[in-house]
Amino acid sequence: PSNHPIVLELETGGANWFIGFNRATGINADVHEAENEVTIYKVQSGDGTGYSTSSLKVALGSGRSVSINKWRNSLWKLVINVREINTTVSPAYATVEITFGPQSANTPQPTARPSVRPTIRPTIRPTAQPT
């Protein structure tokens, strides 16, 4: 449908990149390369609005990712992560996460300091009836 993008264009100011979901159904039923995977193409020049030769850079399945170092001549990398590919629903879809900038590990925050001593004293003997 109209609110589900089929192709994403990553503009570089030169040779742009395109990300798409290569669903092997309908007109693409006979596709054998990158079947039901997310494909990443780079055009040799231009913005993709006219004719340009492109090349497949990588095809990613669910749970896979790729990094492009020094994206747009910066110090940072662009990471394309395929979170999920679901072909059991209609329409089938791929969930793709794109991040750019300083990458940090997903380290959990430290827990609070434990209390110095217990807050409740234990009972001396068991109770007669369970509560």
Side-chain angles (χ1 to χ4, degrees), residues 8 10 17 19 38 40 58 60 63-72 74-83 95-104 106:
L8 297 173
L10 302 177
W17 295 69
I19 302 171
V38 172
I40 302 171
V58 68
L60 301 172
R64 303 280 315 273
S65 65
V66 65
S67 297
I68 304 170
N69 293 321
K70 297 183 180 177
W71 177 252
R72 295 185 70 167
S74 71
L75 298 175
W76 298 319
K77 61 184 169 182
L78 181 88
V79 178
I80 303 166
N81 181 22
V82 179
R83 293 228 173 244
T95 302
V96 178
E97 175 185 63
I98 302 170
T99 55
F100 172 69
Q103 307 296 314
S104 62
N106 292 334

Side-chain angles (χ1 to χ4, degrees), residues 6-126:
I6 304 299
V7 175
L8 297 173
E9 179 179 9
L10 302 177
E11 295 181 350
T12 65
N16 291 347
W17 295 69
F18 292 85
I19 302 171
F21 177 40
N22 194 32
R23 178 71 170 118
T25 190
I27 199 166
N28 288 344
D30 294 328
V31 72
H32 297 292
E33 183 176 17
E35 182 177 327
N36 295 321
E37 292 185 317
V38 172
T39 55
I40 302 171
Y41 285 87
K42 183 178 182 185
V43 296
Q44 287 185 358
S45 63
D47 59 6
T49 58
Y51 176 80
S52 182
T53 303
S54 62
S55 58
L56 176 65
K57 294 300 182 180
V58 68
L60 301 172
S62 185
R64 303 280 315 273
S65 65
V66 65
S67 297
I68 304 170
N69 293 321
K70 297 183 180 177
W71 177 252
R72 295 185 70 167
N73 297 317
S74 71
L75 298 175
W76 298 319
K77 61 184 169 182
L78 181 88
V79 178
I80 303 166
N81 181 22
V82 179
R83 293 228 173 244
E84 174 187 19
I85 293 176
N86 188 342
T87 59
T88 63
V89 296
S90 183
Y93 65 89
T95 302
V96 178
E97 175 185 63
I98 302 170
T99 55
F100 172 69
Q103 307 296 314
S104 62
N106 292 334
T107 306
Q109 293 295 321
T111 58
R113 272 185 114 151
S115 58
V116 178
R117 51 188 168 156
T119 55
I120 300 175
R121 295 172 110 359
T123 56
I124 296 180
R125 52 187 169 172

